[in-house]
Amino acid sequence: MTDVPYAPPTQSRALKIALRWGLYLMLTVFALWYLLPLFVMVTTSLKSLEEIRTGSLIALPREVTLEAWRTAWSGACTGIQCEGLRPYFWNSVLLAVPAVLISTILGAMNGYVVAQWRFRGANIIFALMLFGCFIPFQVVLLPMARTLGILNIAGTIPGLIFVHVIYGIGFTTLFFRNYYVTIPAELTKAAKIDGAGFFRIFWSIFLPLSLPIIVVTVIWQFTQIWNDFLFGVSFSQAGTQPITVALNNIVNSTTGVKAYNVDMAAAIIAALPTLLVYVVAGKYFIRGLTAGSVKG
Amino acid sequence: MSAILEVDGLFKSYGTTEILKDINVSIDKGEFLVLVGPSGCGKSTLLNCIAGLEPISGGSIRIAGQDMTEVSPKDRNIAMVFQSYALYPTMSVARNITFGMQVRGVDKATQAAKLAEVARQLQIEPLLNRRPGQLSGGQRQRVAMGRALVRDPALFLFDEPLSNLDAKLRVEMRTEIKRLHQDLGASMVYVTHDQIEAMTLATKIVVMKGGIIQQIGTPHEIYTRPANTFVADFMGSPAMNLIPARAQPDGTGSMIEIARDGADPLRLHDPRPSGVSGDILLGLRPEDMHEASKRPGEASQAGEVRIEVVEPAGADTFVVARLGGKEVTSRLSADTLARAGETLEFRFDLSKASYFAPETGERLG
């Protein structure tokens, strides 16, 4: 073997700049492509029916009108009632907020126990909970309907909360458990010697550390519960339906001319809360997902 | 003097694996006990058992005369400093130190007074409002000590508290812990894998291996009279030379014969009545081999040996030769005449030698 002096590969400056611009161009094209449906939805919702019929799908509205939004919110018909999405929107809020809070709190406790108090069988219990994440929704429909009937909460919002909490615990436990395993066990030991008990350690030491993972869990659970359709349509009755079910009814139960502008507005209204949660907390979401992977 | 810690016949097992076997050790008030051994020897487990963080499988633990075997950690009147410091990350330094008192419901005025006293003692007053993440390793170490000191316990437990620090800081903190021990007159149990830390800090050392106590003694006893070849090899740096040799009774003492490369066997006389004979391992510390020209004495303890390697280390020079088929290291002065490849006349101080049985490794005589 002969010694060849190491020469770093050289690239001309022009080539570097060209590559960089090529990259940006490609990213821009993809971004526009992904944003296109949203663009169509927003513009269509701001047009009148007349303009939709005559104009092109991707054209900007000639005359901006909020009429479709008003109808979607408070006038569109879901079957025989014509109250728009408003009552169902509040149903969803009443359903999602408690369900998210309860499942997050329970997940935090479970994760804390499984990660830091290694009792006999802790791994088996965690494995079973993990297994719960992979059970398809359809499988639990019938037994859940029966359970709700026995508990006498079938067709009510508390019933739906119950379903979502049960279904969410697997995920929330997984999130918190994986976050808490990265916290050194010596912290718990030190607190034990300081005299703190089970709840005191959780409350004073673990919860204050948990903000990133709480954000992740809340976003995840809120998105799941708000967007859920199957449980909503199966376990609710007239008056307790969540917004996703109402949206479906609006879109599918119109007769005669399809009010695309109203459908689009309704769809955006239904999607807004999850969008908002991402915009407000998205930064923490990414941070929380990667937290703990690097020791800091 | 009353015993502050008595561990009696302690066993610890996980499932069928025995981690600790029949541990018996006790210390008096004001003693500094160091548990030392290679990783996996069970020393940290023993400390956790004393703290009550691990349940034990058999035996008993008494602290300050009270049976603590079944008592929970917070009621054992102990304080512990951990390897990772285990400071509460979201709390300020001040809250870290007072958290224990807060949990126990000590009133605010007492908390403040104790905090001020400990902060002064450890010189961490300017840090009290910071978070652990904003502190350097040495500062975190001090805060962890503060958290222990403020408790004013019957017994301090240290779990390798210096192993996360860099070499220079480790030596500084070692001195500081020793000073603290002297000033407080506190009783301490200290776990380390670093034999130098053990030697410098301890009033009593427990050497462990595989969950079994190998030897208990003062640093001097452990160093000069190791109970077996494991202790001899583990304590001291460079390690004690263990040289295969033959012993014959000779008058009141014995004649030790050691094979030597390219020459007749070396014959050395030990005047002590040790009573050893047959095949033995001769244990000799590097500093008990001297350069004969600089250390006149009896000819019966001197002999020429060929030098293989010379390693200057500042104050000392380590000289490696071969005796009895084994590498033998000696600690000579920096101005030694030893040259690699040449022979040098050594004087062996056999009055400091130890003898071990080659098969069992146990000390003879």
Side-chain angles (χ1 to χ4, degrees):
Chain A
M1 250 185 46
T2 53
D3 279 344
V4 179
Y6 174 73
T10 50
Q11 247 176 11
S12 78
R13 216 180 131 67
L15 182 65
K16 248 187 221 169
I17 292 172
L19 282 173
R20 182 93 334 197
W21 278 102
L23 183 69
Y24 283 140
L25 185 73
M26 209 151 71
L27 290 174
T28 312
V29 167
F30 275 113
L32 289 177
W33 181 254
Y34 282 117
L35 283 172
L36 201 58
L38 183 67
F39 172 78
V40 170
M41 281 176 77
V42 173
T43 50
T44 307
S45 74
L46 296 173
K47 294 173 185 171
S48 64
L49 258 186
E50 178 62 30
E51 193 184 331
I52 293 173
R53 254 199 312 278
T54 54
S56 135
L57 184 65
I58 58 167
L60 286 169
R62 282 192 301 272
E63 199 179 325
V64 174
T65 166
L66 289 174
E67 192 50 43
W69 284 74
R70 213 166 292 134
T71 311
W73 180 244
S74 57
C77 296
T78 56
I80 47 167
Q81 282 166 322
C82 293
E83 296 170 343
L85 281 178
R86 189 169 47 187
Y88 306 100
F89 185 89
W90 292 118
N91 279 351
S92 270
V93 171
L94 288 178
L95 155 71
V97 172
V100 167
L101 289 182
I102 296 171
S103 60
T104 303
I105 291 167
L106 288 178
M109 296 286 282
N110 284 344
Y112 166 62
V113 171
V114 174
Q116 293 282 333
W117 298 75
R118 308 211 132 270
F119 55 94
R120 189 181 290 268
N123 281 333
I124 294 171
I125 289 189
F126 178 61
L128 288 175
M129 287 191 152
L130 204 60
F131 185 66
C133 298
F134 299 106
I135 296 176
F137 279 29
Q138 295 85 334
V139 173
V140 299
L141 284 183
L142 283 176
M144 188 57 89
R146 185 96 184 90
T147 310
L148 290 175
I150 291 169
L151 293 174
N152 214 9
I153 46 176
T156 64
I157 288 181
L160 267 179
I161 293 174
F162 178 78
V163 175
H164 282 295
V165 167
I166 299 279
Y167 218 89
I169 283 179
F171 288 98
T172 56
T173 302
L174 172 70
F175 288 151
F176 278 97
R177 182 262 179 197
N178 285 353
Y179 187 74
Y180 287 153
V181 237
T182 63
I183 295 174
E186 288 191 344
L187 216 54
T188 310
K189 288 185 182 175
K192 276 190 205 167
I193 287 181
D194 264 344
F198 178 87
F199 285 105
R200 184 66 187 252
I201 295 175
F202 178 61
W203 185 254
S204 297
I205 294 163
F206 280 81
L207 263 195
L209 275 174
S210 310
L211 184 67
I213 201 66
I214 289 176
V215 172
V216 169
T217 313
V218 165
I219 291 185
W220 174 268
Q221 280 298 90
F222 187 79
T223 313
Q224 292 290 312
I225 295 171
W226 188 273
N227 288 342
D228 164 71
F229 179 73
L230 186 61
F231 285 155
V233 81
S234 310
F235 301 130
S236 66
Q237 57 196 33
T240 62
Q241 285 153 335
I243 195 167
T244 44
V245 177
L247 175 65
N248 171 68
N249 292 350
I250 286 179
V251 174
N252 287 332
S253 67
T254 42
T255 47
V257 182
K258 259 218 173 298
Y260 286 112
N261 51 357
V262 175
D263 292 355
M264 293 298 181
I268 295 173
I269 290 173
L272 264 184
T274 49
L275 209 63
L276 196 74
V277 168
Y278 270 106
V279 171
V280 171
K283 176 167 79 170
Y284 297 98
F285 186 67
I286 303 294
R287 216 181 280 166
L289 280 181
T290 52
S293 53
V294 183
K295 240 187 159 180
Chain B
M1 281 282 223
S2 58
I4 211 81
L5 170 70
E6 297 152 274
V7 177
D8 199 18
L10 185 147
F11 281 82
K12 167 77 186 168
S13 45
Y14 293 112
T16 54
T17 327
E18 283 206 320
I19 307 292
L20 296 170
K21 289 166 212 151
D22 194 23
I23 303 293
N24 293 287
V25 64
S26 76
I27 61 168
D28 290 333
K29 196 168 172 7
E31 273 201 282
F32 198 126
L33 177 75
V34 173
L35 307 176
V36 66
S39 46
C41 73
K43 56 192 190 296
S44 281
T45 309
L46 175 55
L47 195 74
N48 279 321
C49 289
I50 294 171
L53 295 167
E54 298 265 9
I56 62 177
S57 317
S60 71
I61 296 167
R62 296 172 72 80
I63 296 172
Q66 271 183 295
D67 186 5
M68 295 289 188
T69 315
E70 300 291 333
V71 175
S72 82
K74 68 180 160 73
D75 298 322
R76 293 196 179 198
N77 199 9
I78 51 165
M80 191 158 171
V81 176
F82 296 89
Q83 181 175 2
S84 67
Y85 317 134
L87 300 177
Y88 311 128
T90 55
M91 299 183 197
S92 68
V93 167
R95 274 213 66 202
N96 259 284
I97 294 174
T98 54
F99 181 70
M101 290 191 285
Q102 217 175 329
V103 172
R104 289 193 300 277
V106 176
D107 66 89
K108 283 254 153 62
T110 317
Q111 285 188 25
K114 285 205 162 186
L115 172 65
E117 187 193 329
V118 166
R120 189 184 43 76
Q121 203 168 10
L122 293 169
Q123 294 158 16
I124 51 174
E125 286 128 323
L127 310 176
L128 289 181
N129 290 320
R130 297 213 204 150
R131 295 281 171 86
Q134 299 165 309
L135 304 179
S136 70
Q139 289 169 333
R140 285 180 209 188
Q141 177 64 55
R142 273 166 204 275
V143 176
M145 304 254 287
R147 196 168 58 180
L149 283 179
V150 81
R151 176 105 194 233
D152 196 18
L155 185 63
F156 285 94
L157 306 176
F158 293 88
D159 191 0
E160 307 213 19
L162 303 184
S163 52
N164 281 0
L165 300 176
D166 63 59
K168 188 168 177 298
L169 206 52
R170 199 179 306 162
V171 175
E172 278 175 37
M173 288 305 293
R174 196 170 75 198
T175 313
E176 199 147 332
I177 291 177
K178 181 133 191 170
R179 182 174 298 135
L180 211 57
H181 172 245
Q182 288 168 356
D183 292 352
L184 296 174
S187 316
M188 299 180 169
V189 180
Y190 187 105
V191 164
T192 181
H193 61 263
D194 181 344
Q195 49 90 19
I196 297 176
E197 250 171 53
M199 294 293 293
T200 50
L201 289 172
T203 61
K204 188 189 254 183
I205 293 181
V206 172
V207 185
M208 295 177 65
K209 178 194 164 199
I212 297 169
I213 292 182
Q214 303 294 310
Q215 190 174 5
I216 302 180
T218 64
H220 184 73
E221 282 164 7
I222 299 268
Y223 193 73
T224 55
R225 293 180 58 81
N228 54 39
T229 50
F230 173 79
V231 178
D233 185 57
F234 190 77
M235 303 298 289
S237 172
M240 181 182 259
N241 297 304
L242 296 170
I243 309 163
R246 277 190 68 78
Q248 272 176 345
D250 176 27
T252 55
S254 39
M255 186 61 77
I256 311 294
E257 198 177 285
I258 307 167
R260 175 165 54 164
D261 275 0
D264 296 339
L266 196 60
R267 290 169 63 81
L268 306 169
H269 185 249
D270 181 356
R272 296 177 301 170
S274 56
V276 291
S277 69
D279 286 332
I280 52 148
L281 282 175
L282 165 66
L284 201 59
R285 293 277 175 202
E287 58 271 25
D288 296 330
M289 292 171 62
H290 306 283
E291 204 167 342
S293 61
K294 300 196 171 160
R295 179 115 172 182
E298 278 183 56
S300 66
Q301 295 197 345
E304 286 204 335
V305 184
R306 184 169 299 280
I307 308 297
E308 292 187 347
V309 179
V310 177
E311 299 173 337
D316 303 312
T317 295
F318 296 109
V319 174
V320 181
R322 189 167 294 276
L323 279 174
K326 285 275 215 70
E327 268 188 13
V328 171
T329 305
S330 57
R331 186 197 297 268
L332 303 182
S333 66
D335 59 355
T336 175
L337 300 173
R339 296 289 173 269
E342 295 176 10
T343 59
L344 183 74
E345 186 168 32
F346 281 95
R347 190 171 305 285
F348 300 84
D349 189 351
L350 288 193
S351 66
K352 304 254 180 75
S354 298
Y355 301 109
F356 303 98
E359 314 82 38
T360 60
E362 291 303 311
R363 182 180 187 85
L364 301 168

